[in-house]
Amino acid sequence: MHEDPVKEMLAWMKVLLLTAFIILGVREFLFEPVIVEGGSMQPSYHENDKLVLSKATAIDNFDTIVFFAPDGSRFIKRVIGIPGDHIKMSGGEIILNGAPLDEPYLDKVEEERVDQPRVVSEFSVPPDCYYVLGDNRGNSTDSRVLGFIQKPDIIGEVKFRFAPLKDFGFVE
């Protein structure tokens, strides 16, 4: 027996509509794909790396996040300070809450690092704000220029890289 074609079409429309709502909901509230632009996070991330952000995670020190800059563009940076952290910077050295910061993600480019001026900067991260830096410190527009990043401006935390294929997988 054949079903009524109108009923069958309505059933398929319901399935497609439900699927569309699920996909839109997941993208809006849980995950979002992004493409890296620029070299401010090298060597960790390169131009045109394709990543997936999680929008439902708590942000912590050393997480890599994507956020809206004041001009509306999207930036990818590493979180150095979370609300309440005390940061002291002098040249290339960062003291976080009284302890020198170990930054193994910078060791790969140690010989390429630009000499940092010996200006001493000391501050605490305000509530609902984050202090972010690019891994490529000599070529990064980050909190040293932009100031603190407001919590509502954060789009999400980088969790997965799906291109290039040689780097496919969850990120640390």
Short mmCIF file of all heavy atoms in Angstrom, two decimals, residues 61-123:
data_model
loop_
_atom_site.label_atom_id
_atom_site.label_comp_id
_atom_site.label_asym_id
_atom_site.label_seq_id
_atom_site.Cartn_x
_atom_site.Cartn_y
_atom_site.Cartn_z
N ASN A 61 43.47 29.57 32.63
CA ASN A 61 44.80 29.99 32.19
C ASN A 61 45.31 29.04 31.12
O ASN A 61 45.14 27.82 31.23
CB ASN A 61 45.79 30.00 33.36
CG ASN A 61 45.42 31.01 34.42
OD1 ASN A 61 44.72 30.66 35.36
ND2 ASN A 61 45.86 32.24 34.27
N PHE A 62 45.94 29.61 30.10
CA PHE A 62 46.62 28.91 29.01
C PHE A 62 45.67 28.29 27.97
O PHE A 62 46.14 27.71 27.01
CB PHE A 62 47.62 27.87 29.53
CG PHE A 62 48.44 28.40 30.66
CD1 PHE A 62 48.32 27.86 31.92
CD2 PHE A 62 49.31 29.47 30.47
CE1 PHE A 62 49.06 28.37 32.98
CE2 PHE A 62 50.04 29.99 31.52
CZ PHE A 62 49.93 29.43 32.78
N ASP A 63 44.35 28.44 28.15
CA ASP A 63 43.43 28.02 27.10
C ASP A 63 43.63 28.94 25.90
O ASP A 63 44.00 30.11 26.05
CB ASP A 63 41.97 28.14 27.56
CG ASP A 63 41.58 27.10 28.59
OD1 ASP A 63 42.33 26.11 28.75
OD2 ASP A 63 40.53 27.27 29.24
N THR A 64 43.36 28.43 24.72
CA THR A 64 43.38 29.26 23.52
C THR A 64 41.93 29.60 23.19
O THR A 64 41.09 28.71 23.10
CB THR A 64 44.03 28.51 22.34
OG1 THR A 64 45.35 28.11 22.74
CG2 THR A 64 44.14 29.40 21.13
N ILE A 65 41.66 30.90 23.04
CA ILE A 65 40.29 31.35 22.80
C ILE A 65 40.21 32.17 21.51
O ILE A 65 41.21 32.67 21.02
CB ILE A 65 39.74 32.18 23.98
CG1 ILE A 65 40.56 33.46 24.17
CG2 ILE A 65 39.68 31.35 25.25
CD1 ILE A 65 39.93 34.47 25.13
N VAL A 66 38.99 32.29 21.01
CA VAL A 66 38.70 33.22 19.92
C VAL A 66 37.71 34.22 20.49
O VAL A 66 36.77 33.85 21.20
CB VAL A 66 38.11 32.48 18.70
CG1 VAL A 66 37.68 33.48 17.63
CG2 VAL A 66 39.13 31.50 18.14
N PHE A 67 37.94 35.51 20.21
CA PHE A 67 37.09 36.56 20.76
C PHE A 67 36.91 37.67 19.72
O PHE A 67 37.65 37.76 18.74
CB PHE A 67 37.69 37.12 22.05
CG PHE A 67 39.05 37.74 21.87
CD1 PHE A 67 39.20 39.09 21.61
CD2 PHE A 67 40.20 36.96 21.97
CE1 PHE A 67 40.46 39.65 21.44
CE2 PHE A 67 41.45 37.51 21.80
CZ PHE A 67 41.59 38.86 21.54
N PHE A 68 35.91 38.50 19.98
CA PHE A 68 35.69 39.67 19.13
C PHE A 68 36.58 40.81 19.62
O PHE A 68 36.54 41.18 20.79
CB PHE A 68 34.23 40.12 19.19
CG PHE A 68 33.30 39.19 18.47
CD1 PHE A 68 32.39 38.44 19.18
CD2 PHE A 68 33.33 39.07 17.09
CE1 PHE A 68 31.51 37.58 18.54
CE2 PHE A 68 32.47 38.21 16.42
CZ PHE A 68 31.56 37.46 17.16
N ALA A 69 37.39 41.36 18.72
CA ALA A 69 38.20 42.54 19.02
C ALA A 69 37.29 43.77 18.97
O ALA A 69 36.17 43.69 18.47
CB ALA A 69 39.33 42.66 18.00
N PRO A 70 37.76 44.91 19.47
CA PRO A 70 36.93 46.12 19.47
C PRO A 70 36.41 46.51 18.08
O PRO A 70 35.33 47.08 17.96
CB PRO A 70 37.86 47.19 20.03
CG PRO A 70 38.81 46.44 20.90
CD PRO A 70 39.01 45.11 20.20
N ASP A 71 37.16 46.19 17.02
CA ASP A 71 36.71 46.55 15.67
C ASP A 71 35.76 45.50 15.06
O ASP A 71 35.36 45.61 13.91
CB ASP A 71 37.89 46.78 14.74
CG ASP A 71 38.70 45.51 14.45
OD1 ASP A 71 38.36 44.44 14.99
OD2 ASP A 71 39.67 45.60 13.68
N GLY A 72 35.42 44.46 15.84
CA GLY A 72 34.50 43.44 15.37
C GLY A 72 35.15 42.23 14.72
O GLY A 72 34.49 41.24 14.45
N SER A 73 36.47 42.32 14.47
CA SER A 73 37.16 41.16 13.88
C SER A 73 37.35 40.09 14.96
O SER A 73 37.22 40.36 16.15
CB SER A 73 38.50 41.58 13.28
OG SER A 73 39.33 42.15 14.27
N ARG A 74 37.67 38.89 14.52
CA ARG A 74 37.89 37.77 15.45
C ARG A 74 39.38 37.55 15.61
O ARG A 74 40.11 37.47 14.63
CB ARG A 74 37.24 36.51 14.90
CG ARG A 74 35.75 36.57 14.83
CD ARG A 74 35.22 35.36 14.12
NE ARG A 74 33.78 35.37 14.16
CZ ARG A 74 33.04 34.29 14.32
NH1 ARG A 74 33.60 33.11 14.42
NH2 ARG A 74 31.74 34.38 14.34
N PHE A 75 39.82 37.42 16.86
CA PHE A 75 41.22 37.15 17.17
C PHE A 75 41.32 35.83 17.91
O PHE A 75 40.43 35.47 18.68
CB PHE A 75 41.80 38.25 18.06
CG PHE A 75 42.15 39.52 17.36
CD1 PHE A 75 41.84 39.76 16.03
CD2 PHE A 75 42.81 40.52 18.05
CE1 PHE A 75 42.17 40.94 15.40
CE2 PHE A 75 43.15 41.71 17.43
CZ PHE A 75 42.83 41.92 16.10
N ILE A 76 42.44 35.14 17.71
CA ILE A 76 42.75 33.93 18.46
C ILE A 76 43.98 34.22 19.30
O ILE A 76 44.99 34.70 18.79
CB ILE A 76 42.96 32.71 17.52
CG1 ILE A 76 43.32 31.46 18.34
CG2 ILE A 76 44.00 33.00 16.46
CD1 ILE A 76 43.33 30.18 17.53
N LYS A 77 43.90 33.96 20.60
CA LYS A 77 45.01 34.23 21.52
C LYS A 77 44.98 33.23 22.67
O LYS A 77 43.99 32.55 22.92
CB LYS A 77 44.91 35.64 22.13
CG LYS A 77 44.84 36.77 21.11
CD LYS A 77 46.10 36.94 20.32
CE LYS A 77 45.89 38.04 19.28
NZ LYS A 77 46.75 37.93 18.15
N ARG A 78 46.09 33.21 23.43
CA ARG A 78 46.20 32.34 24.61
C ARG A 78 45.87 33.15 25.86
O ARG A 78 46.34 34.27 26.03
CB ARG A 78 47.61 31.78 24.71
CG ARG A 78 47.76 30.72 25.79
CD ARG A 78 49.11 30.05 25.75
NE ARG A 78 49.45 29.50 24.45
CZ ARG A 78 49.04 28.32 23.99
NH1 ARG A 78 48.27 27.56 24.73
NH2 ARG A 78 49.42 27.91 22.79
N VAL A 79 45.05 32.58 26.74
CA VAL A 79 44.69 33.24 27.99
C VAL A 79 45.86 33.12 28.96
O VAL A 79 46.29 32.02 29.29
CB VAL A 79 43.42 32.61 28.61
CG1 VAL A 79 43.14 33.21 29.98
CG2 VAL A 79 42.24 32.77 27.68
N ILE A 80 46.38 34.25 29.40
CA ILE A 80 47.45 34.27 30.38
C ILE A 80 46.88 34.55 31.77
O ILE A 80 47.26 33.92 32.75
CB ILE A 80 48.51 35.33 30.01
CG1 ILE A 80 49.12 35.04 28.63
CG2 ILE A 80 49.60 35.44 31.08
CD1 ILE A 80 49.82 33.70 28.51
N GLY A 81 45.95 35.48 31.85
CA GLY A 81 45.36 35.83 33.14
C GLY A 81 43.85 35.74 33.12
O GLY A 81 43.20 36.18 32.17
N ILE A 82 43.29 35.14 34.18
CA ILE A 82 41.85 35.06 34.36
C ILE A 82 41.46 36.02 35.49
O ILE A 82 42.32 36.56 36.17
CB ILE A 82 41.41 33.60 34.67
CG1 ILE A 82 42.05 33.10 35.96
CG2 ILE A 82 41.74 32.68 33.50
CD1 ILE A 82 41.55 31.73 36.42
N PRO A 83 40.17 36.27 35.68
CA PRO A 83 39.76 37.22 36.72
C PRO A 83 40.41 36.93 38.08
O PRO A 83 40.44 35.80 38.54
CB PRO A 83 38.24 37.04 36.78
CG PRO A 83 37.87 36.59 35.40
CD PRO A 83 39.02 35.72 34.97
N GLY A 84 41.00 37.98 38.66
CA GLY A 84 41.65 37.87 39.97
C GLY A 84 43.13 37.57 39.92
O GLY A 84 43.82 37.71 40.93
N ASP A 85 43.66 37.17 38.78
CA ASP A 85 45.09 36.89 38.66
C ASP A 85 45.90 38.18 38.76
O ASP A 85 45.46 39.25 38.34
CB ASP A 85 45.42 36.22 37.33
CG ASP A 85 45.13 34.72 37.32
OD1 ASP A 85 44.85 34.16 38.40
OD2 ASP A 85 45.19 34.13 36.23
N HIS A 86 47.11 38.05 39.32
CA HIS A 86 48.05 39.17 39.39
C HIS A 86 49.20 38.86 38.43
O HIS A 86 49.81 37.79 38.51
CB HIS A 86 48.58 39.35 40.82
CG HIS A 86 49.46 40.55 40.96
ND1 HIS A 86 48.93 41.82 41.07
CD2 HIS A 86 50.80 40.68 40.98
CE1 HIS A 86 49.93 42.68 41.16
NE2 HIS A 86 51.08 42.02 41.11
N ILE A 87 49.48 39.80 37.53
CA ILE A 87 50.49 39.60 36.49
C ILE A 87 51.54 40.70 36.58
O ILE A 87 51.21 41.87 36.73
CB ILE A 87 49.84 39.61 35.09
CG1 ILE A 87 48.84 38.46 34.98
CG2 ILE A 87 50.89 39.52 34.00
CD1 ILE A 87 47.99 38.50 33.72
N LYS A 88 52.79 40.26 36.48
CA LYS A 88 53.91 41.21 36.38
C LYS A 88 54.69 40.82 35.13
O LYS A 88 55.04 39.64 34.96
CB LYS A 88 54.80 41.13 37.61
CG LYS A 88 55.97 42.10 37.57
CD LYS A 88 56.78 42.02 38.85
CE LYS A 88 57.94 42.99 38.80
NZ LYS A 88 58.76 42.93 40.01
N MET A 89 54.93 41.80 34.26
CA MET A 89 55.67 41.55 33.03
C MET A 89 56.89 42.45 32.99
O MET A 89 56.80 43.64 33.26
CB MET A 89 54.78 41.83 31.81
CG MET A 89 53.56 40.94 31.76
SD MET A 89 52.41 41.36 30.44
CE MET A 89 53.37 40.92 29.01
N SER A 90 58.02 41.84 32.65
CA SER A 90 59.27 42.60 32.50
C SER A 90 60.04 41.96 31.36
O SER A 90 60.52 40.83 31.48
CB SER A 90 60.07 42.56 33.79
OG SER A 90 61.32 43.19 33.61
N GLY A 91 60.15 42.68 30.26
CA GLY A 91 60.80 42.10 29.09
C GLY A 91 60.00 40.91 28.62
O GLY A 91 58.79 40.97 28.48
N GLY A 92 60.64 39.79 28.40
CA GLY A 92 59.96 38.58 27.96
C GLY A 92 59.47 37.72 29.10
O GLY A 92 58.85 36.69 28.87
N GLU A 93 59.75 38.12 30.35
CA GLU A 93 59.36 37.30 31.50
C GLU A 93 57.99 37.71 32.04
O GLU A 93 57.69 38.89 32.16
CB GLU A 93 60.39 37.42 32.62
CG GLU A 93 60.08 36.52 33.80
CD GLU A 93 61.12 36.63 34.90
OE1 GLU A 93 61.64 37.73 35.13
OE2 GLU A 93 61.39 35.59 35.52
N ILE A 94 57.19 36.70 32.37
CA ILE A 94 55.87 36.94 32.96
C ILE A 94 55.81 36.22 34.30
O ILE A 94 56.14 35.03 34.40
CB ILE A 94 54.75 36.41 32.04
CG1 ILE A 94 54.80 37.13 30.69
CG2 ILE A 94 53.39 36.58 32.70
CD1 ILE A 94 53.85 36.57 29.66
N ILE A 95 55.40 36.95 35.32
CA ILE A 95 55.19 36.39 36.66
C ILE A 95 53.68 36.35 36.87
O ILE A 95 53.02 37.39 36.85
CB ILE A 95 55.85 37.25 37.77
CG1 ILE A 95 57.31 37.55 37.45
CG2 ILE A 95 55.67 36.60 39.13
CD1 ILE A 95 58.22 36.37 37.46
N LEU A 96 53.12 35.15 37.05
CA LEU A 96 51.69 34.99 37.25
C LEU A 96 51.44 34.56 38.68
O LEU A 96 51.90 33.50 39.11
CB LEU A 96 51.15 33.94 36.27
CG LEU A 96 49.66 33.60 36.37
CD1 LEU A 96 48.80 34.82 36.06
CD2 LEU A 96 49.32 32.44 35.45
N ASN A 97 50.75 35.40 39.44
CA ASN A 97 50.43 35.12 40.84
C ASN A 97 51.67 34.75 41.65
O ASN A 97 51.67 33.83 42.45
CB ASN A 97 49.37 34.02 40.94
CG ASN A 97 48.07 34.43 40.29
OD1 ASN A 97 47.67 35.60 40.34
ND2 ASN A 97 47.41 33.49 39.64
N GLY A 98 52.77 35.48 41.38
CA GLY A 98 54.00 35.31 42.14
C GLY A 98 54.96 34.25 41.63
O GLY A 98 56.05 34.10 42.18
N ALA A 99 54.59 33.50 40.61
CA ALA A 99 55.45 32.43 40.10
C ALA A 99 55.82 32.72 38.63
O ALA A 99 54.95 33.11 37.85
CB ALA A 99 54.74 31.09 40.20
N PRO A 100 57.09 32.52 38.28
CA PRO A 100 57.48 32.70 36.87
C PRO A 100 56.69 31.75 35.98
O PRO A 100 56.47 30.59 36.32
CB PRO A 100 58.96 32.34 36.84
CG PRO A 100 59.42 32.38 38.26
CD PRO A 100 58.21 32.10 39.12
N LEU A 101 56.25 32.28 34.87
CA LEU A 101 55.41 31.50 33.96
C LEU A 101 56.26 30.63 33.06
O LEU A 101 57.19 31.08 32.41
CB LEU A 101 54.59 32.47 33.11
CG LEU A 101 53.38 31.95 32.40
CD1 LEU A 101 52.39 31.31 33.37
CD2 LEU A 101 52.69 33.08 31.67
N ASP A 102 55.96 29.33 33.06
CA ASP A 102 56.60 28.39 32.14
C ASP A 102 55.75 28.35 30.88
O ASP A 102 54.57 28.01 30.94
CB ASP A 102 56.68 27.00 32.78
CG ASP A 102 57.30 25.98 31.86
OD1 ASP A 102 58.18 26.37 31.05
OD2 ASP A 102 56.92 24.80 31.93
N GLU A 103 56.34 28.72 29.74
CA GLU A 103 55.59 28.78 28.49
C GLU A 103 56.24 27.86 27.45
O GLU A 103 56.91 28.33 26.54
CB GLU A 103 55.52 30.21 27.98
CG GLU A 103 54.79 31.15 28.93
CD GLU A 103 54.65 32.54 28.37
OE1 GLU A 103 55.65 33.27 28.38
OE2 GLU A 103 53.56 32.88 27.90
N PRO A 104 56.02 26.55 27.56
CA PRO A 104 56.67 25.61 26.64
C PRO A 104 56.25 25.82 25.18
O PRO A 104 57.00 25.47 24.27
CB PRO A 104 56.22 24.24 27.14
CG PRO A 104 54.99 24.50 27.94
CD PRO A 104 55.15 25.87 28.51
N TYR A 105 55.09 26.39 24.95
CA TYR A 105 54.63 26.65 23.59
C TYR A 105 55.46 27.72 22.90
O TYR A 105 55.39 27.87 21.69
CB TYR A 105 53.15 27.04 23.58
CG TYR A 105 52.75 27.99 24.68
CD1 TYR A 105 52.91 29.36 24.56
CD2 TYR A 105 52.25 27.49 25.88
CE1 TYR A 105 52.57 30.21 25.59
CE2 TYR A 105 51.91 28.34 26.92
CZ TYR A 105 52.07 29.70 26.76
OH TYR A 105 51.75 30.55 27.79
N LEU A 106 56.28 28.47 23.64
CA LEU A 106 57.16 29.47 23.05
C LEU A 106 58.55 28.92 22.77
O LEU A 106 59.28 29.48 21.97
CB LEU A 106 57.32 30.68 23.98
CG LEU A 106 56.06 31.48 24.30
CD1 LEU A 106 56.41 32.65 25.20
CD2 LEU A 106 55.37 31.96 23.05
N ASP A 107 58.94 27.82 23.40
CA ASP A 107 60.30 27.30 23.28
C ASP A 107 60.68 26.98 21.84
O ASP A 107 61.84 27.07 21.48
CB ASP A 107 60.48 26.05 24.14
CG ASP A 107 60.48 26.38 25.62
OD1 ASP A 107 60.62 27.57 25.96
OD2 ASP A 107 60.35 25.45 26.42
N LYS A 108 59.74 26.60 21.02
CA LYS A 108 60.03 26.24 19.64
C LYS A 108 60.58 27.39 18.83
O LYS A 108 61.24 27.20 17.84
CB LYS A 108 58.76 25.71 18.96
CG LYS A 108 58.17 24.49 19.63
CD LYS A 108 56.83 24.16 19.00
CE LYS A 108 56.10 23.13 19.85
NZ LYS A 108 54.74 22.94 19.39
N VAL A 109 60.29 28.60 19.24
CA VAL A 109 60.73 29.77 18.47
C VAL A 109 61.64 30.66 19.32
O VAL A 109 61.77 31.84 19.04
CB VAL A 109 59.53 30.59 17.96
CG1 VAL A 109 58.78 29.84 16.90
CG2 VAL A 109 58.63 31.01 19.08
N GLU A 110 62.25 30.10 20.34
CA GLU A 110 63.08 30.90 21.24
C GLU A 110 64.11 31.72 20.48
O GLU A 110 64.33 32.89 20.78
CB GLU A 110 63.77 30.00 22.26
CG GLU A 110 64.52 30.74 23.35
CD GLU A 110 63.60 31.53 24.27
OE1 GLU A 110 62.50 31.04 24.57
OE2 GLU A 110 63.98 32.63 24.69
N GLU A 111 64.76 31.13 19.48
CA GLU A 111 65.79 31.84 18.75
C GLU A 111 65.21 32.95 17.88
O GLU A 111 65.92 33.88 17.50
CB GLU A 111 66.63 30.89 17.89
CG GLU A 111 65.84 30.12 16.84
CD GLU A 111 65.19 28.86 17.37
OE1 GLU A 111 65.40 28.50 18.55
OE2 GLU A 111 64.44 28.23 16.61
N GLU A 112 63.91 32.88 17.58
CA GLU A 112 63.28 33.90 16.75
C GLU A 112 62.65 35.02 17.57
O GLU A 112 62.17 36.00 17.02
CB GLU A 112 62.19 33.27 15.87
CG GLU A 112 62.72 32.26 14.89
CD GLU A 112 61.60 31.57 14.16
OE1 GLU A 112 60.52 31.39 14.74
OE2 GLU A 112 61.82 31.20 13.00
N ARG A 113 62.60 34.85 18.87
CA ARG A 113 61.93 35.84 19.71
C ARG A 113 62.61 37.19 19.61
O ARG A 113 63.81 37.33 19.58
CB ARG A 113 61.92 35.39 21.17
CG ARG A 113 60.95 34.24 21.38
CD ARG A 113 60.92 33.81 22.78
NE ARG A 113 60.19 34.81 23.57
CZ ARG A 113 60.05 34.72 24.87
NH1 ARG A 113 60.56 33.73 25.52
NH2 ARG A 113 59.40 35.64 25.53
N VAL A 114 61.78 38.19 19.55
CA VAL A 114 62.27 39.56 19.49
C VAL A 114 62.65 39.99 20.90
O VAL A 114 61.97 39.66 21.86
CB VAL A 114 61.15 40.47 18.95
CG1 VAL A 114 61.58 41.92 18.93
CG2 VAL A 114 60.72 40.01 17.56
N ASP A 115 63.75 40.72 21.02
CA ASP A 115 64.11 41.24 22.34
C ASP A 115 62.99 42.15 22.82
O ASP A 115 62.58 43.08 22.14
CB ASP A 115 65.42 42.03 22.27
CG ASP A 115 66.63 41.11 22.17
OD1 ASP A 115 66.53 39.97 22.64
OD2 ASP A 115 67.65 41.55 21.62
N GLN A 116 62.49 41.86 24.01
CA GLN A 116 61.41 42.63 24.60
C GLN A 116 61.99 43.79 25.40
O GLN A 116 63.00 43.63 26.09
CB GLN A 116 60.58 41.74 25.53
CG GLN A 116 60.02 40.51 24.87
CD GLN A 116 58.79 40.82 24.06
OE1 GLN A 116 58.07 41.76 24.35
NE2 GLN A 116 58.56 40.03 23.03
N PRO A 117 61.38 44.95 25.35
CA PRO A 117 61.86 46.06 26.18
C PRO A 117 61.70 45.72 27.66
O PRO A 117 60.83 44.95 28.03
CB PRO A 117 60.94 47.22 25.78
CG PRO A 117 59.80 46.63 25.06
CD PRO A 117 60.21 45.29 24.55
N ARG A 118 62.56 46.28 28.46
CA ARG A 118 62.56 45.97 29.90
C ARG A 118 61.58 46.84 30.68
O ARG A 118 61.81 47.15 31.84
CB ARG A 118 63.97 46.17 30.46
CG ARG A 118 64.92 45.08 30.05
CD ARG A 118 64.57 43.81 30.77
NE ARG A 118 65.37 42.70 30.27
CZ ARG A 118 65.05 41.45 30.47
NH1 ARG A 118 63.98 41.14 31.13
NH2 ARG A 118 65.81 40.51 30.00
N VAL A 119 60.47 47.19 30.08
CA VAL A 119 59.44 47.96 30.77
C VAL A 119 58.72 47.01 31.73
O VAL A 119 58.33 45.91 31.35
CB VAL A 119 58.44 48.56 29.75
CG1 VAL A 119 57.30 49.26 30.47
CG2 VAL A 119 59.16 49.49 28.80
N VAL A 120 58.57 47.44 32.97
CA VAL A 120 57.89 46.62 33.97
C VAL A 120 56.43 47.05 34.03
O VAL A 120 56.12 48.24 34.15
CB VAL A 120 58.55 46.76 35.35
CG1 VAL A 120 57.77 45.98 36.39
CG2 VAL A 120 60.00 46.29 35.30
N SER A 121 55.56 46.08 33.91
CA SER A 121 54.13 46.33 33.99
C SER A 121 53.55 45.36 35.01
O SER A 121 53.85 44.17 34.98
CB SER A 121 53.52 46.09 32.60
OG SER A 121 52.14 46.24 32.64
N GLU A 122 52.74 45.87 35.91
CA GLU A 122 52.18 45.04 36.97
C GLU A 122 50.72 45.40 37.16
O GLU A 122 50.37 46.58 37.25
CB GLU A 122 52.96 45.25 38.27
CG GLU A 122 52.65 44.23 39.32
CD GLU A 122 53.66 44.26 40.47
OE1 GLU A 122 54.67 44.97 40.38
OE2 GLU A 122 53.41 43.56 41.45
N PHE A 123 49.85 44.38 37.20
CA PHE A 123 48.41 44.65 37.27
C PHE A 123 47.67 43.39 37.72
O PHE A 123 48.22 42.29 37.71
CB PHE A 123 47.87 45.12 35.91
CG PHE A 123 48.25 44.20 34.78
CD1 PHE A 123 47.46 43.12 34.46
CD2 PHE A 123 49.42 44.41 34.07
CE1 PHE A 123 47.82 42.26 33.44
CE2 PHE A 123 49.79 43.56 33.05
CZ PHE A 123 48.99 42.48 32.73
#
